[in-house]
């Protein structure tokens, strides 16, 4: 099963896309926008959750590209 994708800040001001539980970044970007674009595409491809973190590390956005276990009525 593929791991969820996170866009996280790095100490030097760069942004990284990292899979849940991974010690190393999948890829590093100079801008958060570029990291979001790459991470969102990876999450869609893998059908997993996608998280965007703020500079302080808290989550500011979450999107789901996997199967939702709860059926909604619309």
């Amino acid at each position: 099963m593929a791991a969820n994708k996170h866009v996280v800040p790095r100490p030097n001001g760069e942004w990284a896309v990292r899979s849940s539980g991974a010690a190393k970044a999948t890829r590093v970007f100079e801008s958060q926008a570029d990291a979001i674009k790459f991470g969102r595409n990876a999450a869609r491809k893998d059908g997993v959750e996608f998280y965007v973190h703020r500079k302080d590390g808290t989550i500011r956005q979450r999107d789901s590209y996997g199967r939702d276990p709860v059926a909604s009525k619309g």
Side-chain angles (χ1 to χ4, degrees):
M1 180 175 185
N4 295 330
K5 306 300 181 199
H6 296 258
V7 172
V8 296
R10 293 175 56 96
N12 62 358
E14 294 175 325
W15 292 87
V17 175
R18 192 179 70 207
S19 296
S20 293
K24 290 186 174 182
T26 304
R27 194 161 166 191
V28 177
F29 298 88
E30 289 188 21
S31 74
Q32 187 185 39
D34 290 341
I36 289 171
K37 185 176 179 181
F38 177 85
R40 188 178 305 280
N41 286 337
R44 281 185 180 139
K45 179 182 172 192
D46 293 345
V48 297
E49 300 291 313
F50 176 62
Y51 299 89
V52 179
H53 296 253
R54 295 182 182 95
K55 284 187 176 183
D56 66 3
T58 59
I59 296 171
R60 76 172 176 111
Q61 183 181 355
R62 176 182 177 181
D63 292 313
S64 178
Y65 297 105
R67 292 186 174 204
D68 193 352
V70 179
S72 72
K73 294 181 180 179

